[in-house]
Amino acid sequence: MLVLLPPSEGKASSGRGTPLKLESLSLPGLTEARQAVLDELVELCVADEEKAREVLGLSEGLRGEIAKNTELRTAGARPAGEIYTGVLYDSLDLASLDTAAKRRAGRSLLVFSGLWGAVRVTDRIPSYRCSMGVKLPGLGALGAHWRTPMATALPEAAGDGLVLDLRSSAYTAAWKPKGEVAGRTATVRVLHAHMVDGVEKRSVVSHFNKATKGKIVRSLLSTGAAPKNPAALVEALRDLGYTVEAEAPGRAGRPWALDVVVTEIH
């Protein structure tokens, strides 16, 4: 099983570890594309802070993130699972998993990134700021930049197993499963069911959407569930206590769309 996750906007500090080694990151087919983004991002942030703030879409209060990017080659690197924070990662809580579940996380989880393309949670990276929606002056839109190298690297990473795609829409621009891989891919939408004037209404709630996705991944890792395809995933999630609604796609080569319905928002 390969689980595709979005990164978090907020990130933990880099710390004092050994600096980044691009060649050590997983998915080596992305190394050249990573180097290109890294070089331009660092150059932009060193040369013109105001332009960098505009390109990265940062508010005045986040100006300090630019200085973080200028030190990407020398800052300490930590496992990506420690760098990414936020609602999904708080609910996933990798640090508290037992040893076996942590090993499963290292094999299964892949975090998408505007700067790195995609990394495993065990890959050591520095803290940074660069979303997939950024358009660098030289390279252009990062979603398009990653599309070609991802087209080879991601099917290889997926192998012949289930792909659980929990990415936000901005990160699907870098890679969309096609053909046979798409047929064993499942996406998840979290819906909040609540009563309004005696009628059940359903809505998407952003915060709880992320939290529930983190809990789903944690449940799968903790129990060692290893569904081989989307139909088996539906059954596994139901066995774990989730309310799941799903239908097989009408045509071959299309992802399954799963709705996880919740009644309480925490």
Side-chain angles (χ1 to χ4, degrees):
M1 178 175 63
L2 185 68
V3 182
L4 310 182
L5 298 175
S8 58
E9 288 295 333
K11 299 173 182 70
S13 62
S14 294
R16 298 182 179 180
T18 303
L20 170 73
K21 295 180 180 178
L22 272 183
E23 67 278 7
S24 72
L25 299 181
S26 302
L27 281 63
L30 302 180
T31 300
E32 184 177 344
R34 288 167 175 152
Q35 186 70 66
V37 180
L38 178 65
D39 288 347
E40 184 170 354
L41 181 62
V42 172
E43 181 179 351
L44 170 68
C45 292
V46 168
D48 190 332
E49 184 176 288
E50 193 56 40
K51 183 177 181 180
R53 188 170 73 86
E54 179 181 341
V55 168
L56 296 175
L58 300 177
S59 66
E60 182 64 35
L62 293 173
R63 185 180 289 271
E65 298 290 279
I66 299 167
K68 180 189 296 184
N69 284 348
T70 67
E71 300 173 349
L72 285 172
R73 294 193 184 94
T74 57
R78 297 168 59 187
E82 297 177 11
I83 290 290
Y84 294 114
T85 59
V87 176
L88 188 155
Y89 292 92
D90 286 347
S91 293
L92 174 52
D93 194 8
L94 286 168
S96 69
L97 291 173
D98 63 34
T99 301
K102 285 178 180 176
R103 283 198 297 266
R104 295 182 197 110
R107 293 192 301 265
S108 302
L109 306 188
L110 202 61
V111 184
F112 272 61
S113 162
L115 174 52
W116 315 117
V119 293
R120 297 195 184 277
V121 292
T122 51
D123 285 333
R124 300 182 68 86
I125 58 173
S127 187
Y128 67 96
R129 189 71 176 229
C130 184
S131 70
M132 190 65 78
V134 165
K135 185 176 182 179
L136 292 174
L139 293 176
L142 291 180
H145 171 75
W146 287 113
R147 214 165 288 149
T148 296
M150 288 277 193
T152 300
L154 264 293
E156 290 178 354
D160 59 2
L162 169 71
V163 178
L164 175 54
D165 190 351
L166 301 180
R167 296 173 296 167
S168 50
S169 59
Y171 290 86
T172 61
W175 182 66
K176 294 182 179 179
K178 296 181 179 179
E180 188 268 337
V181 178
R184 48 188 165 84
T185 296
T187 62
V188 172
R189 179 176 65 165
V190 179
L191 298 178
H192 175 220
H194 54 286
M195 303 300 292
V196 177
D197 297 329
V199 178
E200 182 180 272
K201 301 290 185 180
R202 294 183 176 184
S203 58
V204 177
V205 183
S206 178
H207 180 281
F208 199 63
N209 172 61
K210 296 174 183 177
T212 301
K213 287 179 177 178
K215 291 175 182 177
I216 286 171
V217 177
R218 182 179 177 85
S219 296
L220 292 170
L221 294 173
S222 297
T223 60
K228 301 296 185 183
N229 54 55
L233 173 65
V234 172
E235 293 307 311
L237 292 177
R238 287 173 177 165
D239 288 345
L240 289 168
Y242 293 95
T243 301
V244 183
E245 297 176 355
E247 291 185 8
R251 292 194 298 174
R254 293 288 183 89
W256 285 53
L258 278 55
D259 284 341
V260 175
V261 183
V262 298
T263 56
E264 295 182 4
I265 297 179
H266 301 288

